[in-house]
Amino acid sequence: MDCDMELDENSFRWTQHEFDRAPIVHEGFIPQGDNNSNYEVEDNESPITNDNGSYANEQMDDISGTEEDDYLHNDTTDPDNLVSEDDYNISNDDSTSADEASEDNTEFYTLQEDVADFQRGIRGEATDQDLRRRIRGGGMQRRGRGGRRGGSKAAESRPEIKILQTEANEAYVDRNYDKAIALLERLIKTNGEIYGAYTTLGEIHRERGNRQKSLTAFISAAHLKPNDPALWLKCASLALELSETDRAKYLSSAVYMFTNAIAADPRDFKSMFERAALYRELGHHGRAATAYEQMLKRLPHNATVLRHLARVYIDLKQIEKAKKHYKESVAYYSSGGGMLKEEGFSWSDVNIYVELFGHSKEYIDGINELNSLARWMLGRAEEAYWDDVQDDDREWDLDDFPRRIKVRGFIPGDFPRTSYGSGLPLELRIRLGLYRLKLDKNQVGEALKHFAWLEPDDDTPGSKVYDYPDLFREVSEALNEAGFYKDALRFYEPLVSLDDYPDIEFYFRLADCYRSAGLNTEAEECYQTIVANDEENIEARISLAKLYEDQNMPEQAYAYVNEIILLRRQDKGTPLKRAGPPAVDGLTSTRRASRIKRPGPPLATREQRRENERIRDENVRALYKKYQYLRPKVRAGDERVLADWMECSSDLIDDFRNSRVFYPYDKHIKFLGYSPAARKRALEGYRKRENILNAMEMMAERLQGSLEADGKELENLPVPKDYRGISFDVWLDIFLEYTLWLAKAGDMEEAYETIQSAIDAIVFYHSRDYMFQIHVCWFSCCLLFNDDETICKVTRWFMSTYQLTTDTYRLYAALHRLCQGPASWYNAAPSQKYLLRQVRAMDQGLTTKQLRHSEKAGSVLTNDQGTPIENVDMDIALLVLYVYLFRAHKLDPENPMTNLTIGLSYLQLSLKRQTENRHFQIMQGFSFLFRYYDIRKNSPHPVERQEADYNIARAYHMLGLAHLGVPYYEEVLKLSEETSKDADTKEAFTTDAAYNLQLIHSMAGNLELARWITEKYLTI
């Protein structure tokens, strides 16, 4: 039988894998229907009917979530391909975040329950007699015919199927769900094409709360009757219910189900709206735009479709397309093509249309369109003379006097006063003011006239801030950005009185506005409110630190700087964000009094700090004496003191890790001393990128220096070699020995955390000798944990640091060899790509004869003295690791390992089913194997000669040529006495050869010789 062969790398053995060729049936597979697999259900049929089709038999009980999820996302029918975006030339910009989806989905229809009556019967809301009659009469009520056109009648059920149907019905009626599920699964396994079995099973699972299994069952039924839109909608409804746990996954499934429902009923506009909304929420804005465009073709000028399409085009930044549709609809309605009330075009549509001009920054056009449409909506479309008034908005003044009366053509009383100022909706008036402000800051007066309609000074319970908080926020932020800070505060401050509206971002903007207005006390209150409600917010602390420093309050500033550095150290790599909870908890309905004032942290005086430091120093010295006393006993194996020694080591390490000088934000900063002046020199001497946290480091040193009484530090003190009187060499020993004991105890997380803290300490990080010891300890722990993934990471440090050293690549292979289990990470794609980059780095140095400056190749290598190292030859071990075997053979043709690997590769290739010339490849393989054999047989070490005989014998044995391998096995046994006397022998092949040889003789029938070999070589 042709089969693949796998090389066992442990001792160059081969193990044969036989593959089961029986059909594989995946649990949870949901059958797909074809064009002739759906049939009608007669009124007198049982809900468990026997439909014809061609589906795999299935068992529905053990549907795993993973397999079901895979089905939901990898169906052969891709709903995204059912609609072509090219028809409308819409760019599918899916980069827009799904979080930007509109929160107002009230225009979308909700799904109705298709089987409500049937479910009420299951829940006990109908009598048992009614329930039995429903089941006998056809089960669940279905909408429409539900079958494919061209289907035929169902085939006659076999007797055993009828019996199962009857028993399942009886168990279901009696509400014996466990028995019903077992019978239904048995029925489905017998015939997986029975529509009613899936639907009944789905109902049972749904009643029992197993919504995922219920969804799977209903999808199976829907594929049996793909033209039943009601069933697809039921599946979509279930998927939306499940989306509470994994929204993105189940929303994608719901999109697929809505697509099938639309295919079954092309006039189902409800499903079209739902699918388009899901597209947008998932971030597929291009597909959402395509769906709305299709609906707009079938429902021309529909206002609901226009609103949602405009929002999608805003997400896609294709404003012109949205404006084009609105212009066409406005022309249609203004020409009398539709009635406003019946068609639904309203002030909301005017607002959305005008907002589009703000997104494209066309403020003049936006103002003109707003005035024109508002005039038309109020019945004054013929007053076109207002278009000549461009400098102000007197048309929308509340009274005719003093401005409106001056306009030529205006006649008071021709139209009601309500069709002017008071007739303009407040949202559009604010939009008009915003456009005036953004068009020209000099028009702030005109803008403030519009903003005054919000009545920001009204603090009564019925004020407009409760009805229009978003307008207040928009106005205040626009005034803040324009530089009118005091005017902005008039609209910011009323929002503080709202219980649920203020959030973290709001308080940031309010505080920034206060600072810009020179109101530092109010700004401090805002920042304190943020800190009190978000204990891990860094940016608020940064603002407070800068605020205190500007006000000459160094102690308060220094306290917050230390908090910032500590928080950042705990959460490295997280970008600074202003995002916070949606609302600040604990705020009352009053304004200033509602802010939660957090008192600043207590600060110790200089004398107290020095006394605390002296006490800590004494404690550490006492701990170290205890550590020294217990260490010999621990190393001698005294387990009674191990716990005390571990606790002592942990306390010492914690004190070291709490020293901020060893752990700056950027570990590339070198250690120059403990004093503020030394740390300041280290920060200034390091050319680092500008960011806010580096500025905090500088601020901390500056503030601490200002707090020192003696303030004048010596600039050229020698770099310390110890900490608290203990040398850094000893500190490293404490770290590493403690880590090894943690590894022996099996505490992987704590061991890795301790070793990482040693790496992050700058006193160790900048010393190659220290880093070498740390990484040796690290891979020792990895071997104890059998963690080949981390071994890849650790050995990469050796290969990068000592890139032109052959032993680093041998170390990589040897450590993976010591890990038990499959060599998954050794052969993983990231590892192979890394090795390829190493090969290219060496190639570059050889081909250009220059030092490597390539970004992919890494930085220029230097020795311990900083002198650049030039590459002069290629590393054969590296080539073999990346399986560049012939390149390695070319460089060293007498290398036994290279010849052995090439020979085995040819033999392995010859055993593949797709090989072109099996015999030729075997000959090629043996040509390299015998070259390896000749090299090894000339070795002075007996074990190497024994290895050569064993591998040749094993190669013949693998190919089924056992009689050719026997002499070589016998030669291995002859060398056993010689290898046993060799003191340098680390590994012998006698046992393996004896086992294989007795196996050959046993299969050949020579049991006596096989027994003799067993008794001589394989017994203890």
Side-chain angles (χ1 to χ4, degrees):
M1 178 179 67
D2 290 339
C3 57
D4 293 338
M5 313 298 291
E6 183 183 28
L7 172 63
D8 184 348
E9 61 182 15
N10 294 334
S11 60
F12 301 109
R13 296 187 180 90
W14 291 264
T15 56
Q16 183 174 8
H17 291 277
E18 296 183 359
F19 296 92
D20 185 2
R21 299 181 182 274
I24 298 176
V25 178
H26 296 281
E27 293 181 0
F29 171 79
I30 302 172
Q32 302 259 347
D34 55 27
N35 293 332
N36 297 312
S37 62
N38 191 264
Y39 305 95
E40 297 181 282
V41 178
E42 301 294 339
D43 291 340
N44 60 354
E45 287 183 352
S46 168
I48 306 175
T49 60
N50 184 14
D51 295 344
N52 286 333
S54 55
Y55 305 101
N57 294 333
E58 271 309 306
Q59 183 177 356
M60 294 295 297
D61 186 30
D62 299 326
I63 299 176
S64 64
T66 302
E67 291 168 340
E68 179 181 355
D69 297 345
D70 291 341
Y71 165 74
L72 292 177
H73 292 284
N74 297 291
D75 204 285
T76 55
T77 305
D78 185 3
D80 297 339
N81 295 330
L82 299 178
V83 180
S84 173
E85 298 174 7
D86 296 335
D87 296 339
Y88 303 97
N89 193 24
I90 297 173
S91 63
N92 187 6
D93 184 6
D94 290 344
S95 61
T96 305
S97 172
D99 294 337
E100 299 174 2
S102 173
E103 297 179 359
D104 183 13
N105 288 329
T106 57
E107 300 294 339
F108 293 101
Y109 298 92
T110 58
L111 296 174
Q112 301 296 326
E113 187 59 51
D114 296 328
V115 288
D117 293 339
F118 184 68
Q119 288 182 328
R120 283 195 293 271
I122 295 176
R123 295 187 181 98
E125 298 175 15
T127 64
D128 289 346
Q129 183 178 1
D130 292 337
L131 186 58
R132 287 188 176 91
R133 184 171 61 252
R134 289 181 185 179
I135 294 177
R136 288 195 301 268
M140 49 188 296
Q141 299 296 321
R142 299 180 300 107
R143 295 180 180 177
R145 297 177 60 85
R148 289 185 182 272
R149 290 185 293 271
S152 58
K153 290 185 177 181
E156 184 69 21
S157 299
R158 298 194 302 273
E160 60 272 18
I161 292 180
K162 291 183 177 180
I163 294 174
L164 287 175
Q165 291 175 346
T166 302
E167 293 177 354
N169 287 339
E170 291 175 354
Y172 178 60
V173 170
D174 295 335
R175 293 178 175 80
N176 188 350
Y177 290 148
D178 291 331
K179 181 179 179 181
I181 289 174
L183 291 170
L184 289 169
E185 290 168 351
R186 184 178 171 188
L187 179 60
I188 292 170
K189 188 175 182 180
T190 304
N191 187 345
E193 307 148 15
I194 302 177
Y195 169 84
Y198 289 105
T199 56
T200 306
L201 190 60
E203 289 294 346
I204 293 174
H205 282 308
R206 189 172 187 181
E207 288 299 320
R208 303 185 76 174
N210 298 326
R211 293 185 296 178
Q212 189 167 337
K213 290 186 177 182
S214 175
L215 176 62
T216 306
F218 280 119
I219 292 177
S220 302
H223 279 91
L224 291 172
K225 294 189 180 296
N227 279 359
D228 186 357
L231 189 54
W232 284 115
L233 293 179
K234 186 177 184 65
C235 294
S237 178
L238 278 171
L240 292 176
E241 291 177 11
L242 285 167
S243 66
E244 299 172 359
T245 58
D246 191 343
R247 192 155 185 82
K249 178 177 68 175
Y250 286 107
L251 288 188
S252 299
S253 304
V255 166
Y256 168 71
M257 296 159 194
F258 279 124
T259 300
N260 281 277
I262 294 168
D265 184 7
R267 298 183 60 83
D268 186 0
F269 293 107
K270 298 179 183 180
S271 298
M272 293 181 187
F273 270 107
E274 288 284 359
R275 184 180 67 173
L278 293 180
Y279 274 141
R280 189 182 179 210
E281 184 173 350
L282 289 168
H284 305 318
H285 301 295
R287 296 170 186 168
T290 301
Y292 285 126
E293 288 277 8
Q294 284 188 331
M295 283 187 279
L296 197 60
K297 275 194 170 184
R298 303 182 65 177
L299 301 172
H301 310 296
N302 183 277
T304 302
V305 179
L306 279 174
R307 293 168 196 166
H308 293 290
L309 183 59
R311 295 190 183 104
V312 172
Y313 276 133
I314 290 173
D315 294 334
L316 289 170
K317 295 180 173 52
Q318 298 181 9
I319 309 300
E320 293 302 320
K321 291 186 177 181
K323 286 161 55 176
K324 175 177 176 293
H325 283 298
Y326 263 106
K327 287 179 181 178
E328 293 174 353
S329 296
V330 168
Y332 167 75
Y333 288 116
S334 61
S335 64
M339 299 297 293
L340 297 183
K341 184 176 180 180
E342 287 77 3
E343 296 292 343
F345 196 89
S346 63
W347 286 110
S348 296
D349 299 291
V350 176
N351 190 28
I352 293 173
Y353 176 44
V354 172
E355 184 182 352
L356 296 174
F357 292 91
H359 286 285
S360 59
K361 301 186 183 305
E362 298 173 318
Y363 302 119
I364 287 290
D365 294 338
I367 292 172
N368 293 335
E369 288 291 333
L370 188 154
N371 290 332
S372 176
L373 288 174
R375 206 177 300 131
W376 169 55
M377 294 287 289
L378 293 170
R380 297 188 294 107
E382 61 267 26
E383 288 191 342
Y385 55 83
W386 287 109
D387 294 335
D388 298 330
V389 181
Q390 295 288 326
D391 296 334
D392 55 47
D393 301 315
R394 64 184 65 190
E395 177 183 3
W396 305 110
D397 289 350
L398 180 62
D399 299 316
D400 295 339
F401 296 92
R403 298 200 305 174
R404 191 161 52 227
I405 194 65
K406 297 179 182 179
V407 177
R408 180 178 299 177
F410 173 70
I411 302 176
D414 277 3
F415 294 96
R417 289 185 60 190
T418 55
S419 63
Y420 291 95
S422 60
L424 184 66
L426 187 57
E427 292 88 345
L428 288 175
R429 180 177 292 280
I430 300 304
R431 183 74 52 198
L432 194 57
L434 290 172
Y435 286 0
R436 287 291 180 187
L437 181 62
K438 293 178 180 180
L439 182 64
D440 187 357
K441 292 183 180 180
N442 294 328
Q443 297 192 30
V444 63
E446 192 70 23
L448 288 174
K449 290 179 181 179
H450 292 296
F451 299 156
W453 285 70
L454 289 173
E455 301 175 3
D457 299 324
D458 182 9
D459 56 0
T460 61
S463 61
K464 292 183 179 178
V465 68
Y466 294 98
D467 297 326
Y468 303 101
D470 292 335
L471 294 182
F472 274 78
R473 180 78 171 263
E474 196 170 359
V475 168
S476 58
E477 291 182 355
L479 290 169
N480 190 11
E481 292 175 2
F484 303 102
Y485 305 115
K486 293 185 178 180
D487 291 319
L489 289 174
R490 289 184 61 209
F491 296 90
Y492 266 130
E493 290 180 341
L495 293 171
V496 182
S497 62
L498 303 183
D499 291 336
D500 300 326
Y501 189 81
D503 56 12
I504 296 298
E505 178 65 23
F506 168 78
Y507 274 101
F508 266 117
R509 293 185 179 274
L510 179 58
D512 293 343
C513 189
Y514 275 132
R515 288 204 66 184
S516 299
L519 303 174
N520 291 330
T521 302
E522 289 79 0
E524 178 189 357
E525 292 179 9
C526 292
Y527 292 134
Q528 291 283 7
T529 302
I530 298 171
V531 171
N533 290 273
D534 186 1
E535 296 181 356
E536 298 181 356
N537 193 291
I538 293 178
E539 192 170 352
R541 288 173 169 82
I542 293 173
S543 300
L544 279 170
K546 291 181 177 179
L547 181 64
Y548 288 138
E549 187 182 24
D550 293 342
Q551 294 180 336
N552 196 24
M553 302 169 65
E555 291 191 353
Q556 287 84 344
Y558 185 70
Y560 279 107
V561 168
N562 283 334
E563 287 188 22
I564 293 163
I565 295 173
L566 180 61
L567 286 172
R568 197 57 180 163
R569 211 179 279 152
Q570 293 173 352
D571 190 18
K572 289 184 178 180
T574 304
L576 290 176
K577 293 183 178 179
R578 286 191 173 187
V584 177
D585 298 331
L587 299 184
T588 62
S589 59
T590 59
R591 292 187 185 174
R592 298 289 176 81
S594 67
R595 297 196 183 98
I596 303 174
K597 186 68 176 291
R598 179 179 184 269
L603 297 173
T605 63
R606 182 185 62 204
E607 291 75 12
Q608 290 174 330
R609 291 198 300 271
R610 288 181 176 178
E611 179 64 18
N612 293 337
E613 185 66 19
R614 186 189 63 80
I615 294 173
R616 284 196 296 268
D617 190 74
E618 291 179 355
N619 291 337
V620 169
R621 291 177 187 272
L623 283 172
Y624 181 61
K625 288 182 179 179
K626 182 179 179 181
Y627 170 86
Q628 287 180 309
Y629 172 75
L630 295 176
R631 183 173 59 181
K633 297 183 179 182
V634 171
R635 292 183 175 180
D638 189 351
E639 296 184 357
R640 294 174 297 177
V641 300
L642 179 59
D644 290 340
W645 180 85
M646 292 285 286
E647 183 179 359
C648 183
S649 300
S650 177
D651 292 340
L652 286 170
I653 291 173
D654 287 342
D655 181 82
F656 188 93
R657 290 195 291 194
N658 288 332
S659 179
R660 187 171 61 86
V661 68
F662 298 139
Y663 296 93
Y665 175 69
D666 196 326
K667 64 183 179 182
H668 293 87
I669 300 172
K670 291 186 176 181
F671 174 72
L672 297 180
Y674 300 107
S675 66
R679 282 177 276 174
K680 184 176 180 181
R681 292 201 316 272
L683 287 167
E684 292 175 347
Y686 175 62
R687 298 181 60 186
K688 54 190 177 295
R689 63 186 183 277
E690 288 294 330
N691 57 54
I692 192 65
L693 288 178
N694 287 331
M696 289 299 102
E697 293 278 0
M698 295 293 294
M699 183 185 291
E701 304 303 334
R702 183 170 62 251
L703 292 171
Q704 188 178 20
S706 65
L707 291 173
E708 295 289 342
D710 50 5
K712 296 181 179 180
E713 299 282 351
L714 296 177
E715 292 292 328
N716 296 315
L717 289 176
V719 178
K721 299 294 183 182
D722 61 80
Y723 172 63
R724 299 196 188 280
I726 305 172
S727 68
F728 291 135
D729 292 340
V730 175
W731 278 111
L732 183 61
D733 289 341
I734 296 173
F735 270 91
L736 300 186
E737 193 166 3
Y738 179 68
T739 301
L740 288 173
W741 277 104
L742 287 173
K744 291 179 182 179
D747 193 345
M748 177 188 291
E749 183 178 356
E750 182 67 20
Y752 284 172
E753 182 180 346
T754 304
I755 204 75
Q756 188 62 51
S757 64
I759 293 174
D760 292 338
I762 59 175
V763 292
F764 303 139
Y765 180 80
H766 293 284
S767 171
R768 181 173 290 189
D769 292 337
Y770 285 154
M771 291 294 286
F772 184 89
Q773 296 177 53
I774 291 172
H775 282 82
V776 169
C777 176
W778 198 353
F779 74 63
S780 301
C781 296
C782 293
L783 292 176
L784 291 173
F785 296 131
N786 199 35
D787 184 5
D788 59 338
E789 179 181 359
T790 308
I791 280 181
C792 277
K793 176 182 178 180
V794 177
T795 51
R796 280 193 183 191
W797 180 87
F798 287 98
M799 290 188 288
S800 299
T801 307
Y802 305 96
Q803 192 167 1
L804 303 180
T805 305
T806 300
D807 287 341
T808 60
Y809 306 114
R810 292 174 178 168
L811 179 66
Y812 174 79
L815 290 178
H816 279 285
R817 171 68 175 81
L818 293 173
C819 276
Q820 304 298 320
S824 56
W825 281 96
Y826 177 79
N827 298 326
S831 302
Q832 296 301 311
K833 290 178 181 179
Y834 177 80
L835 293 175
L836 178 59
R837 290 196 296 271
Q838 297 282 351
V839 173
R840 289 176 175 174
M842 288 193 176
D843 283 342
Q844 185 182 11
L846 291 173
T847 54
T848 63
K849 299 188 182 301
Q850 296 175 357
L851 296 179
R852 296 177 294 108
H853 295 278
S854 169
E855 181 180 353
K856 291 184 178 180
S859 59
V860 176
L861 292 179
T862 59
N863 56 20
D864 293 337
Q865 291 73 34
T867 305
I869 303 174
E870 183 176 356
N871 184 28
V872 295
D873 60 358
M874 177 55 70
D875 197 298
I876 296 174
L878 175 60
L879 292 175
V880 174
L881 273 179
Y882 193 68
V883 204
Y884 275 155
L885 299 178
F886 279 105
R887 286 189 62 182
H889 183 266
K890 180 68 175 178
L891 294 172
D892 188 5
E894 299 302 318
N895 189 305
M897 193 64 191
T898 305
N899 285 282
L900 174 63
T901 307
I902 295 175
L904 292 176
S905 299
Y906 272 119
L907 292 186
Q908 289 282 74
L909 185 61
S910 70
L911 297 175
K912 298 292 183 181
R913 291 189 296 272
Q914 296 84 3
T915 185
E916 295 181 357
N917 194 329
R918 193 183 311 275
H919 300 287
F920 179 71
Q921 290 169 351
I922 292 174
M923 291 176 61
Q924 285 181 307
F926 272 107
S927 66
F928 285 97
L929 284 177
F930 278 111
R931 184 178 296 180
Y932 150 79
Y933 180 79
D934 294 338
I935 297 170
R936 277 300 200 207
K937 291 299 286 184
N938 292 326
S939 172
H941 303 290
V943 68
E944 293 184 354
R945 299 197 299 273
Q946 192 181 42
E947 172 204 306
D949 287 308
Y950 178 81
N951 282 325
I952 294 296
R954 190 64 188 87
Y956 279 128
H957 196 174
M958 177 190 67
L959 295 175
L961 304 174
H963 64 288
L964 297 179
V966 168
Y968 294 96
Y969 280 137
E970 293 174 348
E971 186 65 23
V972 173
L973 299 181
K974 291 179 183 179
L975 291 170
S976 60
E977 295 182 2
E978 190 175 352
T979 55
S980 62
K981 297 177 182 178
D982 189 358
D984 297 332
T985 300
K986 303 298 182 184
E987 183 178 5
F989 298 88
T990 304
T991 303
D992 295 331
Y995 177 80
N996 291 341
L997 193 57
Q998 66 87 20
L999 185 63
I1000 293 173
H1001 289 309
S1002 297
M1003 296 181 67
N1006 194 349
L1007 299 179
E1008 183 177 353
L1009 182 56
R1011 181 174 182 177
W1012 178 83
I1013 294 174
T1014 303
E1015 292 175 350
K1016 183 175 181 179
Y1017 297 101
L1018 301 176
T1019 56
I1020 300 176

